[in-house]
């Protein structure tokens, strides 16, 4: 069961790098847990710490920069490519983000994010550059995201862009439903499908 | 109305379409492994649900397993616990497990086809992005997250939106020393690591038709590396001959019915794709990657792009990548020192890959200061390699033949590349830290990897054959 989301108004953390793959978001050696909790502390582990040492944070990395904080992560295009590990979405959510903004998301990551009430907001290249600029120039910049009205806005300037999300997913996120609830209610139709589509050569 | 191969399989599997939303999509086969399944089983337990169709699920342990001394307990505690958890979950929920010690154990995308579980026309998912591999048989195969693993375990269905369709036609004869891995690395270098995001890709054309099933699997395997939802190839006689007689293949009159059905699985002549790409086989050289995503590749005689060749907005990421790799814009790849060679992974660990490497290295010796691992994709591949005497060829060359698993592809088990070292790898990802923190990966074909093993440097294999 997830936590419903709608309007998020917050400062943002900018990571202006393209093609951030899920191995960077959460390296494979941290995938050995058998629960969903606690991945946030290893979010971007190898970009955050020198030699895997928590005592040695890399000063240039935005998560280590005290001037940045908030519930919104802004990242370069093709965010979440590579491995299908849902641990990447868990790590981002567990760290405290509710929204990821990029100009392009990898497919599997996008689904994983939606299944964890982490909202992927797809913006144009130009708007993404505007967001980076605003937050880098003034880290206290507030960003407002409304799922209901499907827009993202820089509060101070009013610059805004609308984003797409399919109606079904939007309803799920606003109400805290997940796909599995929906599918479980379809049992009879699924069984009927199986009867009609049984292939004689496949036992 | 004319249909693509994808449409034909998609249409057969739609249980229901939600207006303005995704479809309820039926899954024929579900593979699971130890890393992405425990939280899904936990979810079922929390909801008090059984596995809906346990006979359509097959499990193996591959990501965490050591590739030497597999008869001993796994030394790393967390890995051991994860593998034990899989065993317990499979026993509790009635799922067949091909775990360590089972003759069918191996990398999930190697054993499915090898056992004849993967068959044309199926929909196949696994909590693993390289599930696209199974598309080589004319299936819709794609990777999913753990929440989706839970959905499939609970209902055998997923909520899916239909992707756009892309066809990539490869025509002509391959140059000497060029194999299927080079075809796919070439394609990804053309369209980038995100060039097929949102698409299902069908590979077609004479070059593809002439490939073996193993070679086709290598291509479909890496579809995800350009962002594709899945990659697929229409089944043909090569496909049928590969499947026939395998453990779970249809038999007798069922076989005839199956082949009759499978023969209908192709894109109609006038089927329309949202996007098409034409590639000439003659243009493809043995490939090597220089950067930290699979799109950053060049022909072996090529150079790393100069800074001026890169669009200004892309330069910071490009420079970050080369800095990580310890390489300079504009320089040649040939002659770069190599410390490790890894021949394995779900991309290139099948018996044909091992045969290709053995036939090239026979009578040669590895360079003095290089470590070479050959890791079979399944216990059956290992057994077959030994039966054919390939182990002796490897031993004489100084290559180490290990036991089956994902191994050095992903830095999750004991097989890791040390920080700062260069590894030519036949796997699928050259991401930062993929083979271990600080490891530097160059992706290549088994032949190019083997050539580097002999010379100790990045080498054009064509000079040695």
């Amino acid at each position: 069961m997830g936590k419903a989301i709608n309007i998020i108004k917050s400062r943002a953390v900018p990571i202006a790098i393209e093609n951030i793959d899920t191995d960077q978001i959460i390296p494979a050696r941290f995938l050995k847990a058998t629960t969903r909790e606690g991945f946030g502390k290893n979010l971007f582990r190898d970009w955050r710490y020198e030699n895997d040492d928590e005592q040695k944070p890399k000063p240039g990395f935005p998560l280590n920069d005290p001037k940045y904080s908030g519930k919104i992560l802004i990242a370069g295009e093709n965010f979440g490519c590579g491995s299908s590990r849902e641990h990447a979405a868990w790590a981002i959510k567990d760290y405290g983000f509710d929204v990821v903004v990029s100009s392009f998301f990898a497919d599997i990551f996008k689904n994983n994010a939606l299944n964890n009430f982490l909202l992927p907001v797809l913006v144009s290249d130009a708007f993404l550059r505007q967001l980076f600029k605003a937050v880098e120039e003034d880290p206290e910049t507030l960003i407002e995201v409304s799922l209901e009205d499907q827009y993202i806005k820089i509060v101070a300037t009013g610059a805004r862009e609308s984003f797409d999300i399919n109606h079904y997913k939007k309803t799920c996120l606003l109400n805290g439903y997940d796909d599995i609830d929906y599918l479980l209610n379809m049992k009879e139709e699924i069984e009927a499908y199986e009867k009609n589509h049984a292939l004689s050569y496949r036992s | 109305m004319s249909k693509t191969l994808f449409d034909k399989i998609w249409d057969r599997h739609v249980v229901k379409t939600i207006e303005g939303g995704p479809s309820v999509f039926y899954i024929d086969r579900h593979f699971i492994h130890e890393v992405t399944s425990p939280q899904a089983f936990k979810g079922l337990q929390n909801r008090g649900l059984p596995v809906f169709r346990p006979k359509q699920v097959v499990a193996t342990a591959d990501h965490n397993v050591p590739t030497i001394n597999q008869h001993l307990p796994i030394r790393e505690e967390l890995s051991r616990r994860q593998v034990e958890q899989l065993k317990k979950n499979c026993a509790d929920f009635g799922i067949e497990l091909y775990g360590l010690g089972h003759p069918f154990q191996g990398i999930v995308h190697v054993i499915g086809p090898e056992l004849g579980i993967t068959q044309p026309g199926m929909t196949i998912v696994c909590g693993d992005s390289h599930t696209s591999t199974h598309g080589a048989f004319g299936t819709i195969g794609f990777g999913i997250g753990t929440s989706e693993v839970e959905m499939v375990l609970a209902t055998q269905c997923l909520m899916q939106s239909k992707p756009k369709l892309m066809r990539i036609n490869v025509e002509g004869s391959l140059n000497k020393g060029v194999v299927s891995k080079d075809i796919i690395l070439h394609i990804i270098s053309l369209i980038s690591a995100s060039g097929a995001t949102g698409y299902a890709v069908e590979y077609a054309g004479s070059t593809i038709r002439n490939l073996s099933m193993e070679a086709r699997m290598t291509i479909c395997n890496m579809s995800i590396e350009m962002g594709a939802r899945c990659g697929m190839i229409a089944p043909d006689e090569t496909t049928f001959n590969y499947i026939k007689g395998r453990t779970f293949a249809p038999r007798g009159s069922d076989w005839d019915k199956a082949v009759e059905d499978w023969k209908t699985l192709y894109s109609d002549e006038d089927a329309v794709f949202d996007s098409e790409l034409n590639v000439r086989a003659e243009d493809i050289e043995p490939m090597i990657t220089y950067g930290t995503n699979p799109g950053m590749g060049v022909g072996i005689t090529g150079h790393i792009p100069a800074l001026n060749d890169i669009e200004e907005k892309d330069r910071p990421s490009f420079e970050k990548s080369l800095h990580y790799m310890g390489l300079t814009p504009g320089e040649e790849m040939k002659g770069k020192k190599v410390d490790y060679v890894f021949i394995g992974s779900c991309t290139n660990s099948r018996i044909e890959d091992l045969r290709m490497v053995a036939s090239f290295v026979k009578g040669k010796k590895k360079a003095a200061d290089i470590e070479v691992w050959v890791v079979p994709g399944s216990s059956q591949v290992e057994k077959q390699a030994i039966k054919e005497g390939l182990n002796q060829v490897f031993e004489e060359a100084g290559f180490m033949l290990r036991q089956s698993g994902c191994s050095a592809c992903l830095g999750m088990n004991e097989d890791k590349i040390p920080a700062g070292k260069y590894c030519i790898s036949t796997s699928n990802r050259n991401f930062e830290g993929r083979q271990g923190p600080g490891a530097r990966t160059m992706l290549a074909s088994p032949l190019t990897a083997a050539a580097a093993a002999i010379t100790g440097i990045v080498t054009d294999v064509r000079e040695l054959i």
Side-chain angles (χ1 to χ4, degrees), chain B residues 174-182 286-288 300 341-344 348 352-362 364 399 424-426 443-455 457-465:
Chain B
L174 291 171
N175 295 315
K176 184 177 84 164
V178 174
V179 294
S180 71
K181 180 65 163 286
D182 301 304
M287 294 288 294
I288 185 111
I300 196 85
V341 169
F342 169 55
I343 295 166
N348 281 121
E352 183 183 275
D353 299 309
L354 269 55
R355 285 180 191 141
M356 184 191 334
V357 171
S359 106
F360 170 77
V361 301
K362 194 165 189 170
K364 299 185 179 79
F399 290 19
I424 291 212
S425 177
T426 67
L443 301 176
S445 77
L447 271 183
T448 297
I454 303 303
T455 59
I457 53 175
V458 174
T459 299
D460 186 344
V461 67
R462 293 170 295 187
E463 293 166 10
L464 300 182
I465 51 179

Side-chain angles (χ1 to χ4, degrees), chain B residues 320-394:
Chain B
K320 180 180 188 300
S321 178
L322 288 195
H323 175 75
Y324 179 86
M325 290 298 291
L327 298 170
T328 317
E331 70 178 338
E332 192 178 23
M333 284 303 289
K334 251 173 75 174
K336 288 281 162 207
K337 168 118 176 47
V338 177
D339 307 296
Y340 285 78
V341 169
F342 169 55
I343 295 166
S345 87
C346 57
T347 315
N348 281 121
S349 64
R350 297 178 180 83
I351 189 67
E352 183 183 275
D353 299 309
L354 269 55
R355 285 180 191 141
M356 184 191 334
V357 171
S359 106
F360 170 77
V361 301
K362 194 165 189 170
K364 299 185 179 79
K365 287 234 181 302
K366 77 171 182 73
D369 48 356
I370 196 166
E371 189 139 352
V372 187
W373 298 336
V374 181
V375 185
S378 71
S379 299
Q380 293 207 88
V381 169
E382 182 195 354
K383 200 170 142 196
Q384 183 66 25
I386 292 169
K387 192 173 151 199
E388 294 178 21
L390 307 186
N391 55 330
Q392 280 167 2
V393 176
F394 294 138

Side-chain angles (χ1 to χ4, degrees), chain B residues 89-111:
Chain B
N89 287 334
C90 287
D92 290 352
F93 287 90
I95 291 169
E96 186 82 56
L97 168 67
Y98 303 138
L100 273 186
H102 193 286
F104 294 165
Q105 180 274 339
I107 305 176
V108 63
H109 310 307
V110 175
I111 67 168

Side-chain angles (χ1 to χ4, degrees), chain A residues 31-32 47 86 193-194 201, chain B residues 12 26 53 146-147 261:
Chain A
L31 307 187
K32 298 182 187 194
W47 285 356
E86 191 165 318
Y193 167 89
E194 285 178 322
Y201 60 83
Chain B
R12 281 183 181 189
Y26 192 81
R53 295 288 179 250
T146 298
S147 296
D261 178 41

